[in-house]
Amino acid sequence: MPTELLQQAAADNHWAAIGPELMVGCLALLLLVLEIVLPKARHEIIPSVAVVGLLGIITGFVINYHTAFVGQTTFNGLLRHSGTGQFLRLFFLLAATGVSVLGIVALKRQKMPKVEFFAITLVVSGAMMLLAQANNFVMLFVALETVTVGFYILVSYTRTNPLSLEAGLKYLIMGALSSGILLFGIALLYGVAGNPALTAASADSMNFDALRVFLYANPDNIIAAVGIVLVLSGVAFKVGAVPFQIWIPDVYQGAPTPVTAFLAIASKAAGFAILLTLVTVFDGYQSLVVGVLTVMAIATILFGNLAALTQHNVKRLIGLSGVSHAGYLLVGVIAAIHVPFAVGAICFYLFAYLLGSLAVFGVMTHVSGDDDADQDMDHYADLAKTHPFLGVVLAVGLGSLAGIPPLAGFMGKLLVFLAAFEAGLYALLGVAILGVVISIYYYFGWIKAAFFPQWRPPVFEGDDPLPEPPRQVVSTPAGILLATAALASVLLGFYQGPLGAWLGLG
Amino acid sequence: MTLFWPVLLIAFASLLAAFVRLPGQWKALWAVFPGAAFAWVVLSWPAVVGEGELMASIAWFEQLGATVDLRLDAYGGLMAGLVTGVGTLIIVYAAGYMEGQPGGSRLISMLLIFMAAMLGIVIADNLVLLFVFWELTSITSYLLVGFNHEKEDARKKALQALLVTGTGGLALLAGMVLLALEAGSWQISEILQRGDLVTASPYLPGIIVLILLGAFTKSAQFPFHFWLPNAMAAPTPVSAFLHSATMVKAGVFILGRFSPIFNGSEWWHGPVVVAGLVTLLVGAILGLFQTDLKKILAYTTLAVLGMLTMLIGFGSDLALKSMLVFLIGHALYKAALFMVAGGIDHGTGTRDVWKLGGLSAVMPFTMVAGALAAFSKAGFPPFLGFIGKEYVYKTGTSLDTLAPIFTGAMLLGNMLIFALALKVGWYPFWSKGKEAMLEGHPHEGGWMMWLPPLVLAVLGLVFGFIPVWTGDTLVLPALSEITGKSMHEHLALWHGITLPLILSLVTFVGGVLFYRAREFFWRKHDRVESSPKVEHAYDRLLVGMVKFAKRQTQAIQGGSLSRYMFIVVGATALLLLWKFVRFDGWPELTWEGRLAPIPVIACIWTMVGAIVAAVAKRRLIALLAMGVVGLGITVLFVNFGAPDLAITQLLVDGLTVVLLLLVIYRLPPIKAEANRWIIRADAALSVFFGMLIAALTLSAMQLHVVERVGETLAQMSYAEAYGRNVVNVILVDFRALDTFGEIIVLAIAAIGVTALLAASKERSSDED
């Protein structure tokens, strides 16, 4: 092979463009090295190294976020750097930081290896950051599998707990199935778009740009249509859209709480990052994509909210309510086909969701006992009285998730709905509003449990006076995280400032 | 910018009250804050009337069209005065009411935040901002109604109120977004200017219906009226504030606010008038049967809200004027009566009319307040209530169509309201022979409990005495605002002997008759309560929804992995089928007339392996069968000229089998699936899915690749890579990177096997 070709290919590799990802990867390796180098007694500093390192990377990223690479493709067309991609990278870094802090709190109670959790979290978030910029199906799939394999481990992390193991197994099997579906779809698209017999076929048919051109030129190809549907189904798994939401409640319940948070926040956002990219790629099959997504969105909103209504285990509740959030976001994705600012709206929604979820999961981490899967609504009784700080944070977080004005979650919902309005999706909006009404019922049920104590029969001597597990003392880093998430949820409702401007909303 | 501070001041006071615990009666000091806001409204009134409006604005969220626009016009200012004025008295009253009970500071803090939100509604000039305040009142009222949260009932009713008003709020939001898109502005004052744009819009019916839904739920119009009597579970200061003077008026308020736009549209008058009429009659008639003082008041509130809504629905200048007069009068006397009812409850421990009587001696101040408020409500001259009623009749008799029907309904409604007023404000004090039935010692509360209602009741009298001042200063500026033209006709107490006056006299007679027949209705109370009502439909809807939610969740999310797999594969199959149908992509089956033996054997071999794997009762056999499938595929690869794939397939397959063997070794035997139907369904789905994939593969085959890659590679083999063995060249040169990847996959799999083997060895030596 002529060497010029290789050189040319290598000239496109701007390593600086993926600097943050590289640093996250190096940080993960550093943690592992520290575990070997440091004496056992000093191991507890390793999680702090992860958090401090992440904060450092975030600071660097924020200072340099407007890199010269925005708008370019690098690595031979594998990556495309866009404004949305930049935002999502920051999003994943923040999510990883939050999850790591929660991990420090939650892992204290478990007799499990401590270091691997943080290393895997870092690797997974690095992969998500790449995923958000993927411009090629190979890149997308490899990054996605890195994320998924990491989650297989994280979900069954507390392997002495049978529920965690069950969750891990279910996630593994369902995840493998979904990857299979996705891969089959990719293969079909690759095959059909690389077929020289068809117009606009490309030798590089994994590349999104080439694929997009091809799909435009061949609007009625059954193989391409099937490929698109299968790819969408595979992605629907990641975002938890009905009927591919099926793994969510069991896995969310069984996984350790920080991992559940990670799944709920980052994994879902990653799915939407893919979806936003793919919607533009599949532009030539717009009616097909809109059809599939519309049916999914309606089913997702209704199912998610109705299913969440019946839950007493808060982890299942938050999981199923997360399904409904995916439904609202799907509405946004459909709107994004016609209304450009919908992309910014989705990003804002995700950010508000990140803050609200971190607040709620943070409180959950402190309220849960040794058995992480057993988190009943009743455990929250009197929370506002015994731990006013946690109570307020919970109320703000849940209020933001429910979309109560003027919290950030309300702004996010309003933006997405407004985009849908402009796109003329009235039926979907009707369903979405119905969903929001139902969601008020269960979110307030939870707040009610924390703030309005129920009457309890008097405790007799010898009985267990506390039916709920002991609550954790809030440590300083966790306190800072919770306070930041809650405060930001309030403030973002009033003032969007640079964030709004960045997302093209200001 | 001064417009901001009343809202901020009250919100700040709320925050302060949450943390600073004033002792006992000193809590009344919190009234200073709303008092200051009230004073500000009063002081800026001349400027508002003179200049038409005061405005202030700061940026908020431009993409949404949301700016914090505030605007104080005469109509909003009138409501702002009521909110802050009545609010000030309520805080004083609440301090007295809660004395000696826990949670007083909390109640006052929540009342204040509610007040700030309510003030926000009436001075917001931006639709998004209006909605934000609107929902805030819903949420805070949820907290206030559920204040006595030890009671299951209070919690349930609070949630009911929240769900009903919250749902309506979202409908309102949808309506307002449509309105803003059609008018091209989010600013309310702008939209009012562009009414013609809105009325020309094809979405007009949708806009009206959605906004009405919001307003009707908030103002408890039929059929959403049931939450209001239920919300009486709240402490009395809350009811006096939320359910008489303010929150329930918010719906009426925005109806009036938007009426300049919608006035004249057929979609507007009909629904508004009918809803108002039905609510008026339902409220007044059901009120007759109530035996709880607060419930009686709640039903009369319904009746009055119905009356106001109906008047807005008529839409004439006269009707709107009557609405305003009635609204002011109602806010004054109804809040006073609620406070009186609370005072009676406080002093005697009961609100049951069967037990109350003869309190005039022990509670003289409360008695005076109650009597004055009741007279205003009953419509005796010269109270403001009388003027309101006169104007209502004037409106009724001057209607173009159906005047007798509407006037009749007004007459009946007013008679009932008259009777109900006496029951609350007169009966507990003057009825004889019940003193013995009261437990404990009935007593007058402190001044904080009787002064606020007295102030309001006296104001009702004063305003009635000076109708010209009341009309010119308060009513006419606000009226000009909602009719959009300047109004000059004075308010008057005496109109001469006219039809309205005669109707008023009829009202007195009828009202007295209803009052005298009170016990007849009270005895039927239990039967009426248990009769079917709209509320039951709500309950059934809620219970039904929860039940349905449970069923669907159990059916779909039961936890069984095989069920999950079934659903996912089934959904994918349906999606595929849909594509085939939609694109008509069924493959054309052609027969070339010959079969190559090796692929046929390999296919049969593979199928047998798959079937055995599916039906095998033991894991080991199933696993070996899967190995057989892998071998069959390897043969196919070899046959179609992909030796590298074949090698990889063989090695990976072999490794997987070994890996799984190591795992299976430790697993318990398979439990047979008990349900035969599940097995059949699984089998049917598998066959269906398999056939779909086969069809898909066949369709893919029909896209013939023109160029034969193989030939090109064979030609390039020697020229480019100097190798005669094409397969070798492909493996190590043309596709070297692929081969490299395959080697890595194999190496990783091998490492995995080694690790597992080592682990199992270690464990078995541990066990020994």
Side-chain angles (χ1 to χ4, degrees), chain A residues 1-2 166 169-170 173-174 177 181 184 188 192 195-198 219-223 225-226 229-230 233 237 243-250 285 287-288 291-292 296 302-311 316 320 341 348 385 403-406 410-411 414-415 417-418 421-422 426 433 436-438 440-441 444-445 447-448 451-455 492-496 500 504-506, chain B residues 59-66 106 128 131-133 135-136 139 142-143 146-147 149-150 152 155-156 158-159 162-163 166-167 170-171 173-175 177-178 181-182 186 203 210 538 542 545-553 556-561 563-565 567-569 571-572 575-576 578-580 582-586 689 693 696-697 699-701 703-707 720 733-734:
Chain A
M1 188 180 278
E166 186 189 327
L169 186 69
K170 278 180 174 163
I173 292 179
M174 305 305 284
L177 182 66
I181 292 175
F184 191 34
L188 286 176
V192 73
N195 186 343
L198 297 172
D220 285 316
N221 190 305
I222 168 78
I223 303 296
V226 170
V229 168
L230 289 176
S233 306
F237 245 97
F244 303 99
Q245 91 301 350
I246 208 89
W247 55 278
I248 283 190
D250 296 356
Y285 283 68
S287 63
L288 171 74
V292 174
M296 272 185 190
L302 290 180
F303 176 85
N305 279 311
L306 284 175
L309 195 66
T310 61
Q311 302 301 327
R316 290 180 83 88
L320 286 164
F341 90 84
F348 189 86
K385 207 170 266 174
I404 300 302
F410 164 73
M411 284 296 153
L414 197 51
L415 278 168
F417 290 179
L418 199 67
F421 246 115
E422 279 189 22
Y426 298 114
I433 285 182
V436 173
V437 172
I438 300 175
I440 294 177
Y441 185 85
F444 270 75
I447 296 180
K448 200 169 75 175
F451 277 79
F452 297 165
Q454 298 202 12
W455 183 84
L492 265 184
F494 291 102
Y495 176 72
Q496 294 74 31
L505 304 169
Chain B
W60 182 18
F61 205 149
E62 282 172 36
Q63 185 67 43
L64 285 178
R106 194 156 53 96
V128 178
F131 173 75
V132 168
F133 284 127
E135 288 295 84
L136 268 181
I139 306 273
Y142 165 71
L143 296 172
F147 186 79
H149 48 65
E150 297 80 15
E152 167 71 28
R155 279 182 279 131
K156 204 177 138 201
L159 194 59
L162 177 70
L163 284 177
T167 312
L170 286 168
L173 176 66
V177 170
L178 266 179
L181 290 181
E182 289 307 304
W186 292 86
Y203 296 116
L210 288 168
Y538 161 87
L542 204 63
M545 186 174 77
V546 172
K547 212 180 269 174
F548 172 77
K550 275 202 179 117
R551 289 239 177 89
Q552 73 143 38
T553 314
I556 298 176
Q557 227 48 92
S560 148
L561 187 60
R563 172 98 54 99
Y564 288 0
M565 297 288 278
I567 291 171
V568 170
V569 174
T572 315
L575 272 173
L576 285 181
W578 174 46
K579 287 305 91 173
F580 272 111
R582 161 127 190 265
F583 283 81
D584 196 19
W586 302 106
F689 193 64
I693 295 291
L696 182 64
T697 314
S699 318
M701 299 277 292
L703 297 166
H704 280 297
V705 178
V706 182
E707 199 180 348
E720 298 249 333
D733 195 326
F734 289 161

Side-chain angles (χ1 to χ4, degrees), chain B residues 154-199:
Chain B
R155 279 182 279 131
K156 204 177 138 201
K157 301 303 193 228
L159 194 59
Q160 185 186 55
L162 177 70
L163 284 177
V164 174
T165 54
T167 312
L170 286 168
L172 178 75
L173 176 66
M176 293 196 307
V177 170
L178 266 179
L179 179 66
L181 290 181
E182 289 307 304
S185 169
W186 292 86
Q187 209 177 348
I188 296 171
S189 46
E190 284 268 328
I191 294 171
L192 291 178
Q193 309 276 319
R194 303 185 194 170
D196 44 341
L197 272 180
V198 180
T199 38

Side-chain angles (χ1 to χ4, degrees), chain B residues 385-551:
Chain B
F386 170 75
I387 305 179
K389 198 165 57 184
E390 289 287 287
Y391 270 94
V392 166
Y393 286 138
K394 221 168 143 183
T395 311
T397 49
S398 62
L399 284 176
D400 299 333
T401 48
L402 299 175
I405 293 181
F406 287 118
T407 316
M410 289 168 174
L411 188 65
L412 179 62
N414 275 330
M415 279 182 203
L416 297 175
I417 291 174
F418 181 99
L420 295 175
L422 294 188
K423 282 185 197 177
V424 178
W426 188 260
Y427 177 81
F429 300 102
W430 299 102
S431 71
K432 301 241 161 56
K434 298 246 189 79
E435 289 84 347
M437 293 177 73
L438 290 168
E439 295 153 21
H441 298 283
H443 56 276
E444 182 75 279
W447 64 271
M448 293 192 293
M449 296 210 52
W450 56 257
L451 189 62
L454 196 60
V455 170
L456 288 177
V458 168
L459 273 180
L461 181 62
V462 172
F463 281 170
F465 256 122
I466 43 170
V468 176
W469 180 87
T470 311
D472 290 359
T473 336
L474 300 178
V475 177
L476 290 183
L479 183 62
S480 309
E481 195 59 44
I482 53 175
T483 53
K485 40 197 162 180
S486 92
M487 292 286 165
H488 296 293
E489 200 197 334
H490 298 304
L491 223 55
L493 199 55
W494 177 253
H495 293 272
I497 299 179
T498 52
L499 187 56
L501 188 68
I502 296 168
L503 287 172
S504 279
L505 292 176
V506 178
T507 311
F508 293 148
V509 177
V512 170
L513 286 178
F514 274 116
Y515 176 67
R516 294 195 67 91
R518 58 191 176 264
E519 299 204 351
F520 169 76
F521 293 107
W522 286 348
R523 276 192 210 101
K524 298 208 163 35
H525 169 255
D526 291 345
R527 211 186 308 157
V528 172
E529 282 296 284
S530 57
S531 61
K533 280 183 292 188
V534 184
E535 187 187 355
H536 297 163
Y538 161 87
D539 282 342
R540 222 169 293 149
L541 193 71
L542 204 63
V543 171
M545 186 174 77
V546 172
K547 212 180 269 174
F548 172 77
K550 275 202 179 117
R551 289 239 177 89

Side-chain angles (χ1 to χ4, degrees), chain A residues 6 26 127 138 178-179 276 311 353 429 458 482 485:
Chain A
L6 277 175
C26 290
V138 175
S178 85
S179 295
L276 279 175
Q311 302 301 327
Y353 185 72
L429 269 172
L482 289 180

Side-chain angles (χ1 to χ4, degrees), chain B residues 104 208 262 487 594 662 738:
Chain B
I208 291 182
F262 301 128
M487 292 286 165
R594 64 192 166 82
L662 286 170
D738 290 12

Side-chain angles (χ1 to χ4, degrees), chain B residues 216 221-226 279 534:
Chain B
F216 285 179
Q221 295 298 301
F222 184 87
F224 310 109
H225 60 283
F226 55 87
T279 313
V534 184

